[in-house]
Amino acid sequence: MRKVVGIFFLLFSLSGVTEVKDAHSASHTSVLLQSAYESVEPGRSFNIAFTITPKEGWYTYWENPGDSGAKNIFEWTVPEGVTVSAAAYEAPKRIPYTGLMTYGYKRPSTVLFTVDIMSNYTAKSLPISLEAEWLVCEEECIPQYGSFKLNIPVEKAIPNEAAADTIASFSTHQPEISWWDSRLIINDTSSALTIEMSEEEIKDYTEAYFFPKEDGVFTYSAPQTVVGMAEGLVLNAERSNSLNKPEQVTGILFLKTAKGDHQYFYLAPTLETPTIPKLSQMEDPIEMQSFPLWQALLFAFLGGALLNLMPCVFPVLSLKAFAFVSAGSLSKADRHKEGWAYTSGILASFLAIAVVLIALRSGGDALGWGFQLQEPRFVGLMVIILTLVAMSLAGIFNIQTGFEGAGQTLTQKSGAKGAFFTGVLATLVATPCTVPLMAPAIGYALTQDSITLTITLMMLGLGLASPFLLLSYSDTLASKMPRPGPWMEKVKQGLSFPMILTALWLATVYGDQTGQLVHLFAFVTFVAFLIWLREQMSSPLKRILILGVTLAFSAWFLGVSEKAPDRALSDQPSTSNVWTEQAVSNLRAEGKPVFVYFTADWCITCKVNEKVALQRTETEDMFKRNAIVVLKSDETAGFTPDTLKVLKKYGRAGIPLYLYYPKDGSEARLLPSVITIDILKEYIEGKGV
């Protein structure tokens, strides 16, 4: 088939030959071969430009394609006394694709060659033939082939004005020669490139990336960590120990200035062999952000808004919807106050989370998102609160927080109180969830200073509050709200059921953490009885006494709620599928593909993903069909140091985390936080990619 296509291209190109250019269109690209001169002289050099224009939405590759793709192939035929230099490429762009990183162009790009003619060349013309092969990709990749011929007169040199624009465009996309010295250290697990800039120069840049021409410098899909140090700008990236170390390295350094300008420099760093220091061991870092703060804040806001769609927040969304229906009878000013009271409850909760994180981090603890649900006392307290709220909604007793009497005794004061409490509750039940955009923002914030961490978490809270806050300002929606009436009592009772389901889920988490599930149910029942009994009392003194007993007993129970001791491996049902770094290394050394998932009983997103995607017959068949070994890491009892290390490596603040290690030994593919069967197929088998 390839020969047939080649013959077709050859016939096509012969029909369109000119003296100084040749062109044709393939299935998904058009190509133009141009000489920079209409006629040339012996003893002088000139350029030939090979320009590829991909079809819209498709892309071609740089001389190092990265994780996938193919390098262009050029085979020249020229007369004796004529030579053609190696190809010179324009600066590439990063093209990430399903966990891989490739380098190339989504626009027309030119490869430039230099032709040298010896001074004793006597022929009247210079015939040049080229057999070229290149790859163009979108969702699929299609090889392209072409045969080209030029026949350039040999006489007085005359520039080809038609090629001037092509040459000029190539020059604008060419990297400059770096005026900085640079050095590169490569070891078995990572590489560090140091560009010897001054502190003033480093502060001019906000982003940096190195495109190596040689394989083996680092794992292409691994993120390049950038930090400014006293000795210069340092780029760190991980590499697999299966890669061969290159004997020399050249490449292109991309820099983004504070003004948003893009600069490219050609580097040929000196190779060195010392051990690469960890970033945590580097002293006096210079201010430089590879992840801009504004982007982290935007991701945090959008991620917070998306949290409203997650299953863990659905019960509280029901409460918010009910409160908003009730607000139809309120004035515009009162609706605004309720919206801001709800927002204040969320922001106050996120501020409290930030304070706790900062305090614990200052004590040396490394924590991730949802850390509080690893503490059984907190989980037990949440079970109590949600159960009491459910019983209040069901009408068993009436806790005067404001929202349960909506539509009947709802006033400005009680409504604001209820909205504030609902905001606090929304925050508490949202913390087990992660959503797209949120993970990189929180992962970034947890590595920054206390002020940046606090601002990012507050922006996440503002995103969570934004839908209800906007609704509270919508006069059109308020005018369409139904009138309050007896029907609202039935709705209120119906909302108790999702609250009960949430309490039951958290109770199972508590049971797994402590082994005291029966004790928890007995305790919650007793507390509910005391509060019901208090509601039956008319004497203020007796009511205060029963409330005091309830609080004291609750404090005692939470005080004795401790994590159960770790079980011995022999007591566990199975250890063959338990994740450890060593287990992954051993399996990969045997050439086996590995799928790893990090989960916890308190992570509702994890549990939904398991039901929707992982624990399905179709998924199990796919794992068996591809001989994939599945490893699980259960974080219910808290993140281990090894887990925190993996989360930091992949820029995640919490779980779920899904990693697929292909059998070819390449770097792990990081899957999204929310997965489906189709997403699993896409990342593992390439179906639908």
Side-chain angles (χ1 to χ4, degrees):
M1 181 64 183
R2 176 174 172 175
K3 290 183 178 179
V4 173
V5 175
I7 292 172
F8 170 80
F9 283 144
L10 177 60
L11 294 174
F12 188 93
S13 61
L14 286 174
S15 66
V17 168
T18 67
E19 290 185 334
V20 293
K21 71 176 182 179
D22 190 5
H24 77 247
S25 295
S27 59
H28 290 75
T29 55
S30 60
V31 179
L32 178 63
L33 184 69
Q34 293 176 287
S35 169
Y37 281 79
E38 294 184 0
S39 58
V40 296
E41 296 179 15
R44 298 183 61 177
S45 300
F46 67 98
N47 295 126
I48 292 180
F50 183 86
T51 303
I52 309 174
T53 302
K55 185 178 178 181
E56 184 177 356
W58 294 68
Y59 56 89
T60 56
Y61 291 96
W62 186 48
E63 54 186 314
N64 179 357
D67 276 322
S68 65
K71 184 178 180 179
N72 299 338
I73 298 175
F74 300 101
E75 296 180 358
W76 297 90
T77 302
V78 294
E80 185 177 354
V82 178
T83 58
V84 181
S85 71
Y89 285 76
E90 297 178 357
K93 298 287 186 181
R94 285 167 280 180
I95 306 177
Y97 190 74
T98 62
L100 304 178
M101 179 62 72
T102 59
Y103 303 145
Y105 315 92
K106 292 185 176 181
R107 57 169 177 79
S109 62
T110 297
V111 184
L112 203 66
F113 301 88
T114 299
V115 181
D116 292 310
I117 312 175
M118 296 182 64
S119 58
N120 59 356
Y121 187 83
T122 58
K124 298 298 183 182
S125 65
L126 175 57
I128 297 177
S129 299
L130 170 64
E131 296 289 332
E133 180 178 341
W134 62 99
L135 186 68
V136 60
C137 296
E138 188 200 31
E139 292 184 351
E140 58 183 335
C141 291
I142 301 176
Q144 310 272 266
Y145 311 97
S147 299
F148 304 83
K149 290 183 179 295
L150 300 178
N151 192 20
I152 306 171
V154 179
E155 49 190 39
K156 182 179 179 181
I158 301 176
N160 178 15
E161 294 183 1
D165 290 341
T166 300
I167 304 298
S169 176
F170 174 85
S171 298
T172 60
H173 292 98
Q174 266 287 91
E176 301 179 50
I177 301 297
S178 172
W179 53 78
W180 300 295
D181 292 331
S182 58
R183 59 184 185 275
L184 177 67
I185 303 172
I186 302 177
N187 66 17
D188 290 339
T189 60
S190 59
S191 297
L193 173 66
T194 301
I195 301 98
E196 297 180 0
M197 295 183 181
S198 67
E199 294 186 10
E200 290 72 22
E201 289 175 310
I202 291 174
K203 292 177 180 178
D204 290 338
Y205 298 106
T206 60
E207 186 179 347
Y209 190 90
F210 181 62
F211 297 88
K213 290 187 178 181
E214 293 77 17
D215 284 325
V217 178
F218 50 70
T219 303
Y220 296 112
S221 58
Q224 296 185 17
T225 304
V226 186
V227 63
M229 304 302 301
E231 62 268 27
L233 188 65
V234 181
L235 285 77
N236 281 266
E238 295 184 1
R239 71 184 299 276
S240 171
N241 57 16
S242 63
L243 297 175
N244 295 322
K245 296 180 182 179
E247 295 182 358
Q248 64 176 8
V249 174
T250 57
I252 296 176
L253 174 68
F254 161 73
L255 294 172
K256 183 179 179 180
T257 69
K259 296 180 179 180
D261 297 328
H262 292 185
Q263 299 177 355
Y264 295 89
F265 297 92
Y266 176 80
L267 290 184
T270 303
L271 289 182
E272 298 181 355
T273 57
T275 303
I276 301 177
K278 296 180 180 179
L279 286 179
S280 59
Q281 298 172 343
M282 295 182 179
E283 299 177 355
D284 302 325
I286 299 168
E287 183 74 17
M288 181 182 180
Q289 298 177 350
S290 58
F291 193 88
L293 177 59
W294 69 265
Q295 187 175 347
L297 297 180
L298 176 62
F299 283 3
F301 180 84
L302 296 176
L306 288 174
L307 273 176
N308 287 278
L309 304 178
M310 299 304 292
C312 49
V313 191
F314 281 166
V316 182
L317 279 177
S318 300
L319 284 177
K320 289 194 295 181
F322 180 62
F324 191 72
V325 170
S326 306
S329 61
L330 296 179
S331 67
K332 181 187 298 186
D334 289 343
R335 291 200 319 271
H336 296 174
K337 289 181 179 179
E338 283 212 24
W340 281 110
Y342 171 75
T343 302
S344 299
I346 290 180
L347 294 181
S349 302
F350 273 96
L351 180 60
I353 292 174
V355 171
V356 173
L357 276 171
I358 293 169
L360 293 176
R361 189 171 65 175
S362 63
D365 291 325
L367 299 169
W369 179 247
F371 70 95
Q372 63 271 36
L373 286 166
Q374 300 167 19
E375 172 53 54
R377 295 178 180 86
F378 179 84
V379 177
L381 180 62
M382 285 294 299
V383 173
I384 296 170
I385 292 174
L386 291 177
T387 301
L388 297 181
V389 169
M391 297 180 73
S392 177
L393 289 172
I396 298 175
F397 47 70
N398 185 27
I399 304 174
Q400 291 295 337
T401 58
F403 60 84
E404 69 284 323
Q408 301 170 17
T409 61
L410 185 64
T411 65
Q412 176 180 338
K413 183 177 180 181
S414 62
K417 284 183 179 180
F420 183 90
F421 177 79
T422 307
V424 173
L425 197 61
T427 304
L428 294 177
V429 299
T431 50
C433 296
T434 56
V435 293
L437 300 179
M438 172 183 158
I442 301 301
Y444 164 83
L446 290 174
T447 62
Q448 302 300 310
D449 58 79
S450 299
I451 295 178
T452 303
L453 170 62
T454 303
I455 294 174
T456 306
L457 288 179
M458 296 297 279
M459 187 61 69
L460 179 66
L462 188 60
L464 178 62
S466 59
F468 188 67
L469 181 61
L470 292 175
L471 286 175
S472 68
Y473 274 81
S474 174
D475 293 335
T476 301
L477 186 58
S479 65
K480 296 180 180 179
M481 290 292 101
R483 293 177 178 274
W487 65 272
M488 299 187 71
E489 182 64 25
K490 295 181 180 179
V491 173
K492 178 168 70 74
Q493 294 173 1
L495 293 179
S496 66
F497 292 101
M499 303 303 292
I500 292 173
L501 290 176
T502 305
L504 287 174
W505 160 60
L506 286 173
T508 61
V509 174
Y510 180 90
D512 288 340
Q513 291 175 334
T514 66
Q516 300 174 355
L517 184 58
V518 175
H519 298 90
L520 175 65
F521 283 149
F523 169 71
V524 172
T525 302
F526 182 64
V527 169
F529 169 75
L530 288 176
I531 293 181
W532 172 83
L533 184 62
R534 176 182 177 273
E535 294 294 308
Q536 314 310 311
M537 299 291 181
S538 58
S539 170
L541 183 59
K542 292 180 180 179
R543 291 169 62 90
I544 294 174
L545 179 61
I546 293 178
L547 180 60
V549 172
T550 303
L551 294 176
F553 190 58
S554 300
W556 171 82
F557 183 83
L558 295 177
V560 298
S561 298
E562 297 182 354
K563 293 182 180 179
D566 293 336
R567 293 179 296 172
L569 288 180
S570 59
D571 297 330
Q572 297 181 13
S574 174
T575 59
S576 60
N577 65 338
V578 175
W579 169 84
T580 64
E581 289 184 311
Q582 188 61 48
V584 174
S585 298
N586 293 342
L587 291 168
R588 302 204 78 191
E590 297 172 8
K592 296 181 180 179
V594 183
F595 180 84
V596 180
Y597 68 104
F598 294 76
T599 184
D601 291 345
W602 47 262
C603 174
I604 189 63
T605 309
C606 304
K607 296 306 176 185
V608 171
N609 287 341
E610 288 164 20
K611 291 294 184 184
V612 170
L614 292 180
Q615 297 173 354
R616 301 289 293 272
T617 302
E618 188 176 354
T619 302
E620 293 176 358
D621 291 343
M622 178 181 63
F623 286 151
K624 292 178 181 178
R625 183 170 59 250
N626 294 279
I628 297 171
V629 179
V630 179
L631 301 180
K632 173 183 176 181
S633 182
D634 192 332
E635 310 300 325
T636 300
F639 294 143
T640 65
D642 286 342
T643 300
L644 289 169
K645 179 180 177 182
V646 174
L647 290 174
K648 182 177 181 181
K649 174 180 178 181
Y650 291 98
R652 291 288 178 85
I655 55 176
L657 176 66
Y658 304 103
L659 301 172
Y660 174 61
Y661 298 85
K663 64 180 179 180
D664 60 8
S666 59
E667 182 65 19
R669 300 175 186 175
L670 175 64
L671 277 68
S673 298
V674 179
I675 59 173
T676 62
I677 292 179
D678 289 338
I679 290 175
L680 287 173
K681 289 181 178 179
E682 176 183 332
Y683 278 79
I684 293 174
E685 294 186 325
K687 301 295 179 63
V689 176

mmCIF file of all heavy atoms in Angstrom, residues 455-481:
data_model
loop_
_atom_site.group_PDB
_atom_site.id
_atom_site.type_symbol
_atom_site.label_atom_id
_atom_site.label_comp_id
_atom_site.label_asym_id
_atom_site.label_seq_id
_atom_site.Cartn_x
_atom_site.Cartn_y
_atom_site.Cartn_z
ATOM 1 N N ILE A 455 -6.034 32.292 50.883
ATOM 2 C CA ILE A 455 -6.750 32.955 49.788
ATOM 3 C C ILE A 455 -7.342 31.926 48.829
ATOM 4 O O ILE A 455 -8.486 32.046 48.382
ATOM 5 C CB ILE A 455 -5.811 33.924 49.044
ATOM 6 C CG1 ILE A 455 -5.406 35.088 49.957
ATOM 7 C CG2 ILE A 455 -6.482 34.453 47.782
ATOM 8 C CD1 ILE A 455 -4.377 36.013 49.341
ATOM 9 N N THR A 456 -6.573 30.890 48.510
ATOM 10 C CA THR A 456 -7.050 29.868 47.577
ATOM 11 C C THR A 456 -8.249 29.115 48.148
ATOM 12 O O THR A 456 -9.240 28.860 47.450
ATOM 13 C CB THR A 456 -5.924 28.883 47.241
ATOM 14 O OG1 THR A 456 -4.776 29.603 46.762
ATOM 15 C CG2 THR A 456 -6.363 27.899 46.168
ATOM 16 N N LEU A 457 -8.175 28.747 49.442
ATOM 17 C CA LEU A 457 -9.297 28.047 50.064
ATOM 18 C C LEU A 457 -10.538 28.939 50.150
ATOM 19 O O LEU A 457 -11.671 28.469 49.974
ATOM 20 C CB LEU A 457 -8.904 27.555 51.454
ATOM 21 C CG LEU A 457 -7.931 26.369 51.503
ATOM 22 C CD1 LEU A 457 -7.614 25.998 52.946
ATOM 23 C CD2 LEU A 457 -8.493 25.172 50.766
ATOM 24 N N MET A 458 -10.343 30.222 50.421
ATOM 25 C CA MET A 458 -11.480 31.140 50.462
ATOM 26 C C MET A 458 -12.119 31.272 49.078
ATOM 27 O O MET A 458 -13.346 31.378 48.955
ATOM 28 C CB MET A 458 -11.032 32.506 50.979
ATOM 29 C CG MET A 458 -10.516 32.494 52.416
ATOM 30 S SD MET A 458 -11.771 32.007 53.617
ATOM 31 C CE MET A 458 -12.642 33.559 53.785
ATOM 32 N N MET A 459 -11.300 31.272 48.027
ATOM 33 C CA MET A 459 -11.846 31.340 46.674
ATOM 34 C C MET A 459 -12.617 30.061 46.342
ATOM 35 O O MET A 459 -13.657 30.100 45.667
ATOM 36 C CB MET A 459 -10.711 31.545 45.667
ATOM 37 C CG MET A 459 -11.190 31.803 44.247
ATOM 38 S SD MET A 459 -12.204 33.298 44.097
ATOM 39 C CE MET A 459 -10.967 34.571 44.406
ATOM 40 N N LEU A 460 -12.137 28.917 46.840
ATOM 41 C CA LEU A 460 -12.874 27.667 46.673
ATOM 42 C C LEU A 460 -14.230 27.757 47.360
ATOM 43 O O LEU A 460 -15.261 27.335 46.809
ATOM 44 C CB LEU A 460 -12.051 26.505 47.248
ATOM 45 C CG LEU A 460 -12.672 25.113 47.179
ATOM 46 C CD1 LEU A 460 -12.811 24.651 45.740
ATOM 47 C CD2 LEU A 460 -11.826 24.112 47.969
ATOM 48 N N GLY A 461 -14.248 28.311 48.577
ATOM 49 C CA GLY A 461 -15.504 28.480 49.295
ATOM 50 C C GLY A 461 -16.452 29.429 48.580
ATOM 51 O O GLY A 461 -17.670 29.191 48.525
ATOM 52 N N LEU A 462 -15.905 30.508 48.010
ATOM 53 C CA LEU A 462 -16.751 31.447 47.274
ATOM 54 C C LEU A 462 -17.384 30.762 46.065
ATOM 55 O O LEU A 462 -18.548 31.014 45.734
ATOM 56 C CB LEU A 462 -15.915 32.655 46.836
ATOM 57 C CG LEU A 462 -16.688 33.826 46.218
ATOM 58 C CD1 LEU A 462 -17.697 34.384 47.212
ATOM 59 C CD2 LEU A 462 -15.721 34.920 45.775
ATOM 60 N N GLY A 463 -16.614 29.876 45.404
ATOM 61 C CA GLY A 463 -17.181 29.123 44.287
ATOM 62 C C GLY A 463 -18.304 28.210 44.735
ATOM 63 O O GLY A 463 -19.343 28.095 44.057
ATOM 64 N N LEU A 464 -18.136 27.553 45.894
ATOM 65 C CA LEU A 464 -19.184 26.684 46.423
ATOM 66 C C LEU A 464 -20.447 27.485 46.740
ATOM 67 O O LEU A 464 -21.573 27.007 46.529
ATOM 68 C CB LEU A 464 -18.665 25.974 47.684
ATOM 69 C CG LEU A 464 -19.634 25.049 48.417
ATOM 70 C CD1 LEU A 464 -20.055 23.887 47.519
ATOM 71 C CD2 LEU A 464 -18.994 24.525 49.703
ATOM 72 N N ALA A 465 -20.285 28.682 47.234
ATOM 73 C CA ALA A 465 -21.438 29.502 47.628
ATOM 74 C C ALA A 465 -22.073 30.237 46.456
ATOM 75 O O ALA A 465 -23.222 30.680 46.556
ATOM 76 C CB ALA A 465 -20.998 30.525 48.681
ATOM 77 N N SER A 466 -21.364 30.368 45.339
ATOM 78 C CA SER A 466 -21.790 31.263 44.264
ATOM 79 C C SER A 466 -23.170 30.959 43.682
ATOM 80 O O SER A 466 -23.945 31.898 43.435
ATOM 81 C CB SER A 466 -20.733 31.283 43.151
ATOM 82 O OG SER A 466 -20.527 29.988 42.625
ATOM 83 N N PRO A 467 -23.557 29.687 43.442
ATOM 84 C CA PRO A 467 -24.892 29.476 42.846
ATOM 85 C C PRO A 467 -26.027 30.014 43.713
ATOM 86 O O PRO A 467 -26.919 30.712 43.223
ATOM 87 C CB PRO A 467 -24.965 27.943 42.699
ATOM 88 C CG PRO A 467 -23.542 27.502 42.612
ATOM 89 C CD PRO A 467 -22.803 28.425 43.529
ATOM 90 N N PHE A 468 -26.014 29.702 45.023
ATOM 91 C CA PHE A 468 -27.095 30.164 45.892
ATOM 92 C C PHE A 468 -27.023 31.680 46.088
ATOM 93 O O PHE A 468 -28.066 32.353 46.181
ATOM 94 C CB PHE A 468 -27.010 29.448 47.238
ATOM 95 C CG PHE A 468 -28.197 29.712 48.120
ATOM 96 C CD1 PHE A 468 -29.456 29.246 47.778
ATOM 97 C CD2 PHE A 468 -28.064 30.442 49.292
ATOM 98 C CE1 PHE A 468 -30.557 29.487 48.595
ATOM 99 C CE2 PHE A 468 -29.154 30.681 50.112
ATOM 100 C CZ PHE A 468 -30.405 30.202 49.761
ATOM 101 N N LEU A 469 -25.805 32.232 46.125
ATOM 102 C CA LEU A 469 -25.672 33.680 46.271
ATOM 103 C C LEU A 469 -26.255 34.391 45.056
ATOM 104 O O LEU A 469 -26.963 35.408 45.184
ATOM 105 C CB LEU A 469 -24.193 34.049 46.444
ATOM 106 C CG LEU A 469 -23.883 35.536 46.640
ATOM 107 C CD1 LEU A 469 -24.556 36.074 47.895
ATOM 108 C CD2 LEU A 469 -22.375 35.764 46.702
ATOM 109 N N LEU A 470 -25.994 33.853 43.869
ATOM 110 C CA LEU A 470 -26.555 34.454 42.657
ATOM 111 C C LEU A 470 -28.066 34.314 42.617
ATOM 112 O O LEU A 470 -28.780 35.237 42.220
ATOM 113 C CB LEU A 470 -25.925 33.804 41.425
ATOM 114 C CG LEU A 470 -24.439 34.085 41.195
ATOM 115 C CD1 LEU A 470 -23.913 33.280 40.012
ATOM 116 C CD2 LEU A 470 -24.200 35.576 40.958
ATOM 117 N N LEU A 471 -28.582 33.149 43.067
ATOM 118 C CA LEU A 471 -30.025 32.947 43.082
ATOM 119 C C LEU A 471 -30.717 33.922 44.025
ATOM 120 O O LEU A 471 -31.839 34.372 43.763
ATOM 121 C CB LEU A 471 -30.340 31.506 43.494
ATOM 122 C CG LEU A 471 -30.063 30.421 42.446
ATOM 123 C CD1 LEU A 471 -30.300 29.049 43.041
ATOM 124 C CD2 LEU A 471 -30.919 30.622 41.206
ATOM 125 N N SER A 472 -30.047 34.250 45.122
ATOM 126 C CA SER A 472 -30.671 35.166 46.086
ATOM 127 C C SER A 472 -30.818 36.571 45.522
ATOM 128 O O SER A 472 -31.574 37.383 46.052
ATOM 129 C CB SER A 472 -29.845 35.201 47.378
ATOM 130 O OG SER A 472 -28.586 35.825 47.165
ATOM 131 N N TYR A 473 -30.084 36.865 44.442
ATOM 132 C CA TYR A 473 -30.170 38.183 43.810
ATOM 133 C C TYR A 473 -31.055 38.176 42.554
ATOM 134 O O TYR A 473 -31.172 39.185 41.882
ATOM 135 C CB TYR A 473 -28.779 38.684 43.445
ATOM 136 C CG TYR A 473 -28.082 39.403 44.590
ATOM 137 C CD1 TYR A 473 -27.451 38.682 45.596
ATOM 138 C CD2 TYR A 473 -28.074 40.789 44.668
ATOM 139 C CE1 TYR A 473 -26.817 39.324 46.658
ATOM 140 C CE2 TYR A 473 -27.450 41.450 45.714
ATOM 141 C CZ TYR A 473 -26.823 40.710 46.710
ATOM 142 O OH TYR A 473 -26.206 41.357 47.754
ATOM 143 N N SER A 474 -31.655 37.033 42.229
ATOM 144 C CA SER A 474 -32.445 36.937 41.004
ATOM 145 C C SER A 474 -33.902 37.293 41.285
ATOM 146 O O SER A 474 -34.657 36.495 41.842
ATOM 147 C CB SER A 474 -32.341 35.507 40.439
ATOM 148 O OG SER A 474 -33.195 35.364 39.332
ATOM 149 N N ASP A 475 -34.327 38.493 40.895
ATOM 150 C CA ASP A 475 -35.713 38.912 41.085
ATOM 151 C C ASP A 475 -36.657 38.080 40.226
ATOM 152 O O ASP A 475 -37.781 37.760 40.637
ATOM 153 C CB ASP A 475 -35.863 40.392 40.735
ATOM 154 C CG ASP A 475 -35.114 41.289 41.707
ATOM 155 O OD1 ASP A 475 -34.902 40.854 42.859
ATOM 156 O OD2 ASP A 475 -34.730 42.409 41.318
ATOM 157 N N THR A 476 -36.213 37.714 39.031
ATOM 158 C CA THR A 476 -37.071 36.931 38.131
ATOM 159 C C THR A 476 -37.409 35.580 38.746
ATOM 160 O O THR A 476 -38.563 35.147 38.755
ATOM 161 C CB THR A 476 -36.363 36.723 36.782
ATOM 162 O OG1 THR A 476 -36.065 37.997 36.205
ATOM 163 C CG2 THR A 476 -37.242 35.938 35.836
ATOM 164 N N LEU A 477 -36.395 34.908 39.268
ATOM 165 C CA LEU A 477 -36.618 33.605 39.890
ATOM 166 C C LEU A 477 -37.445 33.735 41.164
ATOM 167 O O LEU A 477 -38.314 32.910 41.445
ATOM 168 C CB LEU A 477 -35.279 32.934 40.203
ATOM 169 C CG LEU A 477 -35.339 31.493 40.717
ATOM 170 C CD1 LEU A 477 -36.060 30.595 39.728
ATOM 171 C CD2 LEU A 477 -33.926 30.975 40.968
ATOM 172 N N ALA A 478 -37.176 34.777 41.941
ATOM 173 C CA ALA A 478 -37.928 34.979 43.184
ATOM 174 C C ALA A 478 -39.413 35.173 42.902
ATOM 175 O O ALA A 478 -40.273 34.693 43.654
ATOM 176 C CB ALA A 478 -37.366 36.173 43.944
ATOM 177 N N SER A 479 -39.737 35.874 41.815
ATOM 178 C CA SER A 479 -41.145 36.119 41.484
ATOM 179 C C SER A 479 -41.871 34.854 41.048
ATOM 180 O O SER A 479 -43.102 34.791 41.079
ATOM 181 C CB SER A 479 -41.236 37.169 40.370
ATOM 182 O OG SER A 479 -40.654 36.667 39.171
ATOM 183 N N LYS A 480 -41.117 33.833 40.628
ATOM 184 C CA LYS A 480 -41.719 32.580 40.169
ATOM 185 C C LYS A 480 -41.792 31.531 41.270
ATOM 186 O O LYS A 480 -42.266 30.418 41.040
ATOM 187 C CB LYS A 480 -40.927 32.026 38.983
ATOM 188 C CG LYS A 480 -40.979 32.931 37.759
ATOM 189 C CD LYS A 480 -40.179 32.339 36.604
ATOM 190 C CE LYS A 480 -40.250 33.255 35.378
ATOM 191 N NZ LYS A 480 -39.462 32.700 34.238
ATOM 192 N N MET A 481 -41.295 31.863 42.449
ATOM 193 C CA MET A 481 -41.328 30.901 43.549
ATOM 194 C C MET A 481 -42.770 30.675 44.013
ATOM 195 O O MET A 481 -43.556 31.624 44.085
ATOM 196 C CB MET A 481 -40.501 31.411 44.731
ATOM 197 C CG MET A 481 -38.988 31.425 44.500
ATOM 198 S SD MET A 481 -38.275 29.783 44.361
ATOM 199 C CE MET A 481 -38.091 29.646 42.574
#
